[in-house]
Amino acid sequence: MLTNYKLVIFDWDGTVMDSIARIVSSLDEAARLTGGLPELSFDELKQMIGLSLDKGYTYLYPDAPLEKRDVWKKHYGEQFRELNTTPHKLYDGVMEALTALKARGHLLSVATGKSRPGLDRAIQETKTDHLFVATRTADQTASKPDPLMILSILDELNIAPHEAVMVGDTSHDMLLAKNAGVDAIGVTWGVHDEGVLSDYAPVAVIASLDALV
């Protein structure tokens, strides 16, 4: 299937990185420290994964005062980077899968709701910088599902939309791909299940990295 595509664009959290539990627990603690925000469940909090923090705040707390957002973002950043001890690492088999795809001749890139410093730090920690030819974050382009992330990557690499595919675990990724005019592959080991992902007509929904490779 992937032989049809020159470029494979990966989401990060929930697709490449097993970081959902760390993100959600950091969001929960950030809300508690900010004060005055509704208490949300694990499942409710994880629905914002993939969005920028600015968009995620509005998504999670549509009735909350906007002036609380920067305090919430500060607490979240401190929790995720420094204070939260919940483990986060590459999913098993990710390094091998990415290496195999690159060896096969595919260009690999990342489109993520993380910030630029956040993605740079994650790529450095996971030693994956040599695998990706281009990366885009929400703060340097626009939050998903705005297509700017993917369109910017396509323009940089001179790749046509039909030559690229987006791989992600959320409805935000599927809608990002649709808005950018590229195909999508949903993965079920992250935030959303096959039922949710299939609503956006991806070319495939897979449950393992072996299926992708």
Coordinates of all heavy atoms in Angstrom, one line a residue, residues 140-210:
Q140 N 4.3 26.8 14.9 CA 5.0 27.4 13.8 C 4.1 27.5 12.6 O 4.4 28.1 11.6 CB 6.3 26.7 13.5 CG 6.2 25.3 12.9 CD 7.5 24.7 12.6 OE1 7.7 23.5 12.9 NE2 8.4 25.4 12.0
T141 N 3.0 26.8 12.6 CA 2.0 26.8 11.5 C 0.6 27.1 12.0 O 0.3 28.3 12.2 CB 2.1 25.5 10.7 OG1 1.8 24.4 11.6 CG2 3.4 25.3 10.0
A142 N -0.2 26.1 12.2 CA -1.5 26.3 12.7 C -1.9 24.9 13.3 O -1.5 23.9 12.9 CB -2.5 26.7 11.7
S143 N -2.8 25.0 14.3 CA -3.3 23.7 14.9 C -4.1 22.9 14.0 O -4.8 23.4 13.1 CB -4.1 24.1 16.2 OG -4.5 22.9 16.8
K144 N -4.0 21.6 14.1 CA -4.9 20.7 13.4 C -6.3 21.1 13.8 O -6.6 21.5 14.9 CB -4.6 19.2 13.9 CG -3.2 18.7 13.6 CD -3.0 17.4 14.2 CE -1.6 16.9 14.0 NZ -1.3 15.6 14.7
P145 N -7.3 20.9 12.9 CA -7.2 20.3 11.6 C -6.9 21.3 10.4 O -7.1 21.0 9.3 CB -8.6 19.7 11.4 CG -9.5 20.6 12.1 CD -8.7 21.2 13.3
D146 N -6.4 22.5 10.7 CA -6.0 23.4 9.7 C -5.0 22.7 8.8 O -4.0 22.1 9.4 CB -5.4 24.7 10.3 CG -5.2 25.8 9.3 OD1 -4.3 25.6 8.4 OD2 -5.8 26.8 9.3
P147 N -5.0 22.8 7.5 CA -4.1 22.0 6.7 C -2.7 22.6 6.5 O -1.9 22.0 5.9 CB -4.8 22.0 5.3 CG -5.6 23.3 5.3 CD -6.1 23.5 6.7
L148 N -2.5 23.7 7.1 CA -1.2 24.4 6.9 C 0.0 23.6 7.2 O 1.0 23.6 6.5 CB -1.1 25.7 7.7 CG 0.1 26.6 7.5 CD1 0.2 27.0 6.0 CD2 0.0 27.9 8.3
M149 N 0.0 22.7 8.3 CA 1.1 21.9 8.6 C 1.5 21.0 7.4 O 2.7 21.0 7.0 CB 0.8 20.9 9.7 CG 0.9 21.5 11.1 SD 0.8 20.2 12.3 CE 0.1 21.1 13.7
I150 N 0.6 20.3 6.8 CA 0.9 19.4 5.7 C 1.2 20.2 4.5 O 2.1 19.8 3.8 CB -0.3 18.4 5.5 CG1 -0.4 17.4 6.6 CG2 -0.2 17.8 4.1 CD1 -1.5 16.4 6.5
L151 N 0.4 21.2 4.2 CA 0.7 22.0 3.0 C 2.1 22.6 3.0 O 2.8 22.6 1.9 CB -0.3 23.1 2.8 CG -1.8 22.6 2.6 CD1 -2.7 23.8 2.5 CD2 -1.9 21.7 1.4
S152 N 2.6 23.0 4.1 CA 3.9 23.6 4.3 C 5.0 22.5 4.0 O 6.0 22.8 3.4 CB 4.1 24.2 5.7 OG 5.4 24.6 5.9
I153 N 4.7 21.3 4.5 CA 5.7 20.2 4.3 C 5.7 19.8 2.8 O 6.8 19.6 2.2 CB 5.3 19.0 5.1 CG1 5.5 19.2 6.6 CG2 6.1 17.7 4.7 CD1 5.0 18.2 7.5
L154 N 4.6 19.7 2.2 CA 4.5 19.4 0.8 C 5.2 20.4 -0.1 O 6.0 20.1 -1.0 CB 3.0 19.3 0.3 CG 2.2 18.2 0.9 CD1 0.7 18.3 0.4 CD2 2.7 16.8 0.7
D155 N 5.1 21.7 0.3 CA 5.7 22.8 -0.5 C 7.2 22.7 -0.3 O 8.0 22.8 -1.3 CB 5.2 24.1 0.0 CG 5.8 25.3 -0.8 OD1 5.6 25.3 -2.0 OD2 6.5 26.1 -0.2
E156 N 7.7 22.4 0.9 CA 9.1 22.4 1.2 C 9.8 21.2 0.4 O 10.9 21.4 -0.1 CB 9.4 22.2 2.7 CG 10.9 22.0 3.0 CD 11.1 21.7 4.5 OE1 10.3 21.9 5.3 OE2 12.2 21.1 4.8
L157 N 9.1 20.1 0.3 CA 9.7 18.9 -0.3 C 9.3 18.7 -1.7 O 9.7 17.7 -2.4 CB 9.3 17.6 0.5 CG 9.7 17.6 2.0 CD1 9.1 16.4 2.7 CD2 11.2 17.7 2.2
N158 N 8.5 19.6 -2.3 CA 8.0 19.6 -3.6 C 7.3 18.2 -3.9 O 7.6 17.5 -4.9 CB 9.2 19.8 -4.6 CG 8.7 20.0 -6.0 OD1 7.6 20.6 -6.2 ND2 9.5 19.7 -7.0
I159 N 6.4 17.9 -3.0 CA 5.6 16.7 -3.1 C 4.1 17.0 -3.4 O 3.6 17.9 -2.8 CB 5.7 15.9 -1.8 CG1 7.1 15.4 -1.5 CG2 4.7 14.7 -1.8 CD1 7.6 14.3 -2.4
A160 N 3.5 16.3 -4.3 CA 2.1 16.6 -4.6 C 1.2 15.9 -3.6 O 1.7 14.8 -3.0 CB 1.8 16.0 -6.0
P161 N 0.0 16.4 -3.3 CA -0.8 15.8 -2.3 C -1.1 14.3 -2.5 O -1.1 13.5 -1.6 CB -2.1 16.6 -2.4 CG -1.7 17.9 -2.9 CD -0.5 17.6 -3.9
H162 N -1.2 13.8 -3.8 CA -1.5 12.4 -4.0 C -0.3 11.5 -3.7 O -0.4 10.3 -3.7 CB -2.0 12.2 -5.4 CG -1.0 12.3 -6.5 ND1 -0.6 13.5 -7.1 CD2 -0.1 11.4 -7.1 CE1 0.3 13.4 -8.0 NE2 0.6 12.1 -8.0
E163 N 0.9 12.1 -3.5 CA 2.1 11.4 -3.3 C 2.4 11.3 -1.8 O 3.4 10.7 -1.4 CB 3.3 12.0 -3.9 CG 3.2 12.1 -5.5 CD 4.3 12.9 -6.1 OE1 4.6 14.0 -5.6 OE2 5.0 12.3 -7.0
A164 N 1.5 11.7 -0.9 CA 1.7 11.8 0.5 C 0.5 11.1 1.3 O -0.6 11.1 0.8 CB 1.9 13.2 1.0
V165 N 0.9 10.6 2.4 CA -0.2 10.0 3.3 C 0.1 10.4 4.7 O 1.3 10.4 5.2 CB -0.2 8.4 3.1 CG1 1.1 7.8 3.6 CG2 -1.4 7.8 3.9
M166 N -0.9 10.7 5.5 CA -0.8 11.0 6.9 C -1.2 9.8 7.7 O -2.2 9.1 7.5 CB -1.8 12.1 7.2 CG -1.9 12.5 8.7 SD -0.5 13.6 9.2 CE -0.6 13.4 11.0
V167 N -0.3 9.5 8.7 CA -0.5 8.4 9.7 C -0.8 9.0 11.0 O 0.1 9.7 11.6 CB 0.7 7.5 9.7 CG1 0.4 6.3 10.7 CG2 1.0 6.9 8.3
G168 N -2.0 8.7 11.6 CA -2.3 9.3 12.9 C -3.3 8.5 13.7 O -4.0 7.6 13.1
D169 N -3.5 8.8 15.0 CA -4.4 8.0 15.8 C -5.6 8.8 16.2 O -6.4 8.2 17.0 CB -3.6 7.7 17.1 CG -3.3 8.9 18.0 OD1 -2.6 9.8 17.4 OD2 -3.6 8.9 19.2
T170 N -5.9 10.0 15.7 CA -7.0 10.7 16.2 C -7.8 11.3 15.0 O -7.4 11.3 13.9 CB -6.6 12.0 17.0 OG1 -6.0 12.9 16.2 CG2 -5.7 11.6 18.2
S171 N -9.1 11.7 15.3 CA -9.9 12.3 14.3 C -9.3 13.6 13.8 O -9.5 14.0 12.7 CB -11.3 12.6 14.9 OG -11.2 13.4 16.1
H172 N -8.5 14.3 14.7 CA -7.8 15.5 14.3 C -6.9 15.2 13.2 O -6.7 16.0 12.2 CB -7.1 16.1 15.5 CG -7.9 16.2 16.7 ND1 -9.1 16.9 16.8 CD2 -7.7 15.8 18.0 CE1 -9.6 16.8 18.0 NE2 -8.7 16.2 18.8
D173 N -6.2 14.1 13.2 CA -5.2 13.7 12.2 C -5.9 13.4 10.9 O -5.5 13.8 9.8 CB -4.4 12.5 12.6 CG -3.6 12.8 13.9 OD1 -3.0 13.9 13.9 OD2 -3.5 11.9 14.7
M174 N -7.0 12.7 11.0 CA -7.8 12.3 9.8 C -8.4 13.5 9.1 O -8.3 13.6 7.9 CB -8.9 11.3 10.2 CG -8.5 10.0 10.9 SD -7.5 8.9 9.9 CE -5.8 9.4 10.6
L175 N -8.9 14.5 9.9 CA -9.4 15.7 9.3 C -8.4 16.6 8.8 O -8.6 17.2 7.7 CB -10.3 16.4 10.4 CG -11.2 17.5 9.9 CD1 -12.1 17.1 8.8 CD2 -12.0 18.1 11.1
L176 N -7.2 16.6 9.4 CA -6.0 17.3 8.9 C -5.7 16.9 7.5 O -5.5 17.7 6.5 CB -4.8 17.2 9.8 CG -3.5 17.6 9.3 CD1 -3.4 19.1 9.0 CD2 -2.4 17.2 10.2
A177 N -5.6 15.5 7.3 CA -5.3 15.0 6.0 C -6.3 15.3 5.0 O -6.0 15.7 3.9 CB -5.1 13.4 6.2
K178 N -7.6 15.2 5.4 CA -8.7 15.5 4.4 C -8.6 16.9 4.0 O -8.8 17.2 2.8 CB -10.0 15.2 5.1 CG -11.2 15.4 4.2 CD -12.5 15.0 4.9 CE -13.7 15.3 4.1 NZ -15.0 14.9 4.7
N179 N -8.4 17.8 4.9 CA -8.4 19.3 4.6 C -7.2 19.6 3.7 O -7.2 20.6 2.9 CB -8.3 20.1 5.9 CG -9.6 20.1 6.6 OD1 -10.6 19.7 6.1 ND2 -9.5 20.5 7.9
A180 N -6.1 18.8 3.8 CA -4.9 19.1 3.0 C -5.0 18.3 1.7 O -4.1 18.5 0.8 CB -3.7 18.7 3.8
G181 N -6.0 17.5 1.5 CA -6.1 16.8 0.2 C -5.2 15.6 0.1 O -4.8 15.1 -1.0
V182 N -4.7 15.0 1.2 CA -3.9 13.8 1.2 C -4.6 12.6 1.8 O -5.5 12.8 2.6 CB -2.5 14.0 1.9 CG1 -1.8 15.3 1.4 CG2 -2.7 14.2 3.4
D183 N -4.2 11.4 1.5 CA -4.8 10.2 2.1 C -4.3 10.1 3.5 O -3.4 10.8 4.0 CB -4.3 9.0 1.3 CG -4.9 8.9 0.0 OD1 -6.0 9.5 -0.3 OD2 -4.4 8.1 -0.9
A184 N -5.1 9.3 4.3 CA -4.8 9.1 5.7 C -4.8 7.6 6.0 O -5.6 6.8 5.4 CB -5.8 9.8 6.6
I185 N -4.0 7.2 7.0 CA -4.0 5.9 7.6 C -4.2 6.1 9.1 O -3.5 6.8 9.7 CB -2.7 5.1 7.3 CG1 -2.6 4.8 5.8 CG2 -2.7 3.8 8.1 CD1 -1.2 4.2 5.4
G186 N -5.3 5.4 9.6 CA -5.5 5.5 11.0 C -4.9 4.4 11.8 O -4.8 3.3 11.3
V187 N -4.4 4.7 13.0 CA -3.8 3.6 13.8 C -4.6 3.5 15.1 O -5.0 4.6 15.7 CB -2.3 3.9 14.1 CG1 -1.5 4.0 12.8 CG2 -2.1 5.1 15.0
T188 N -4.8 2.3 15.6 CA -5.7 2.1 16.7 C -5.0 2.0 18.1 O -5.7 1.7 19.1 CB -6.6 0.9 16.5 OG1 -5.8 -0.3 16.3 CG2 -7.4 1.1 15.2
W189 N -3.7 2.2 18.2 CA -3.0 2.0 19.5 C -3.0 3.3 20.2 O -2.3 3.4 21.3 CB -1.7 1.4 19.3 CG -0.8 2.2 18.3 CD1 0.0 3.3 18.6 CD2 -0.5 1.8 17.0 NE1 0.7 3.7 17.5 CE2 0.4 2.8 16.5 CE3 -0.9 0.8 16.1 CZ2 0.9 2.8 15.2 CZ3 -0.4 0.8 14.8 CH2 0.5 1.7 14.4
G190 N -3.6 4.4 19.7 CA -3.5 5.7 20.4 C -4.8 6.1 21.0 O -5.4 5.4 21.8
V191 N -5.3 7.3 20.6 CA -6.5 7.9 21.3 C -7.8 7.3 20.8 O -8.6 6.9 21.6 CB -6.5 9.4 21.1 CG1 -7.8 10.0 21.5 CG2 -5.3 10.0 21.8
H192 N -8.0 7.2 19.5 CA -9.3 6.9 18.9 C -9.3 5.5 18.3 O -8.3 5.0 17.8 CB -9.8 7.9 17.9 CG -10.2 9.2 18.5 ND1 -9.9 10.4 17.8 CD2 -10.8 9.5 19.6 CE1 -10.4 11.4 18.6 NE2 -10.9 10.9 19.7
D193 N -10.5 4.8 18.4 CA -10.6 3.5 17.9 C -11.0 3.5 16.5 O -11.2 4.5 15.8 CB -11.6 2.7 18.8 CG -13.0 3.3 18.7 OD1 -13.4 4.0 17.8 OD2 -13.8 3.0 19.7
E194 N -11.1 2.3 15.9 CA -11.4 2.1 14.5 C -12.7 2.8 14.1 O -12.8 3.3 13.0 CB -11.4 0.6 14.1 CG -11.6 0.4 12.7 CD -11.5 -1.1 12.3 OE1 -11.3 -1.9 13.2 OE2 -11.7 -1.4 11.1
G195 N -13.7 2.7 15.0 CA -15.0 3.3 14.6 C -14.9 4.8 14.4 O -15.5 5.3 13.4
V196 N -14.2 5.5 15.3 CA -14.1 6.9 15.1 C -13.2 7.3 13.9 O -13.6 8.1 13.1 CB -13.4 7.5 16.4 CG1 -13.1 9.0 16.2 CG2 -14.3 7.3 17.6
L197 N -12.1 6.6 13.8 CA -11.2 6.9 12.6 C -11.9 6.6 11.3 O -11.7 7.3 10.3 CB -9.9 6.0 12.8 CG -9.1 6.3 14.0 CD1 -8.0 5.3 14.2 CD2 -8.5 7.7 14.0
S198 N -12.6 5.5 11.2 CA -13.3 5.1 10.0 C -14.3 6.2 9.5 O -14.6 6.2 8.3 CB -13.9 3.8 10.1 OG -13.0 2.8 10.3
D199 N -14.8 7.0 10.4 CA -15.8 8.0 10.0 C -15.2 9.0 9.0 O -15.9 9.7 8.3 CB -16.3 8.8 11.2 CG -17.3 8.0 12.0 OD1 -17.8 7.0 11.4 OD2 -17.5 8.3 13.1
Y200 N -13.8 9.1 8.9 CA -13.2 10.1 8.1 C -12.6 9.4 6.8 O -11.8 10.1 6.1 CB -12.1 10.8 8.9 CG -12.6 11.5 10.0 CD1 -12.9 10.9 11.3 CD2 -13.0 12.9 9.9 CE1 -13.4 11.6 12.3 CE2 -13.5 13.6 11.0 CZ -13.8 12.9 12.2 OH -14.3 13.6 13.2
A201 N -13.0 8.2 6.5 CA -12.7 7.5 5.2 C -11.2 7.5 5.0 O -10.7 7.8 3.9 CB -13.4 8.2 4.1
P202 N -10.4 7.0 6.0 CA -9.0 6.8 5.7 C -8.8 5.6 4.7 O -9.7 4.8 4.5 CB -8.4 6.4 7.0 CG -9.5 5.8 7.8 CD -10.7 6.6 7.3
V203 N -7.7 5.5 4.0 CA -7.4 4.4 3.1 C -7.3 3.1 3.8 O -7.5 2.0 3.2 CB -6.2 4.7 2.2 CG1 -6.5 5.9 1.3 CG2 -5.0 4.9 3.0
A204 N -6.9 3.2 5.1 CA -6.8 2.0 5.9 C -6.8 2.4 7.4 O -6.5 3.5 7.8 CB -5.5 1.2 5.6
V205 N -7.2 1.5 8.3 CA -7.1 1.6 9.7 C -6.3 0.3 10.2 O -6.8 -0.8 9.9 CB -8.4 1.7 10.4 CG1 -8.2 1.7 11.9 CG2 -9.2 2.9 10.0
I206 N -5.2 0.5 10.8 CA -4.3 -0.6 11.2 C -4.1 -0.7 12.7 O -4.3 0.3 13.4 CB -3.0 -0.5 10.5 CG1 -2.2 0.8 10.9 CG2 -3.1 -0.6 9.0 CD1 -0.8 0.9 10.3
A207 N -3.8 -1.9 13.1 CA -3.7 -2.1 14.6 C -2.2 -2.5 14.9 O -2.0 -2.8 16.1 CB -4.6 -3.2 15.0
S208 N -1.3 -2.5 14.0 CA 0.1 -2.8 14.3 C 1.0 -2.1 13.3 O 0.6 -1.8 12.2 CB 0.3 -4.3 14.3 OG 0.3 -4.7 12.9
L209 N 2.2 -1.9 13.8 CA 3.2 -1.3 12.9 C 3.7 -2.3 11.8 O 4.1 -1.9 10.7 CB 4.5 -0.9 13.7 CG 4.3 0.4 14.5 CD1 5.3 0.5 15.6 CD2 4.3 1.6 13.6
D210 N 3.6 -3.6 12.1 CA 3.9 -4.5 11.0 C 3.0 -4.3 9.8 O 3.4 -4.5 8.7 CB 3.7 -6.0 11.6 CG 4.7 -6.4 12.6 OD1 5.8 -5.7 12.6 OD2 4.5 -7.3 13.4

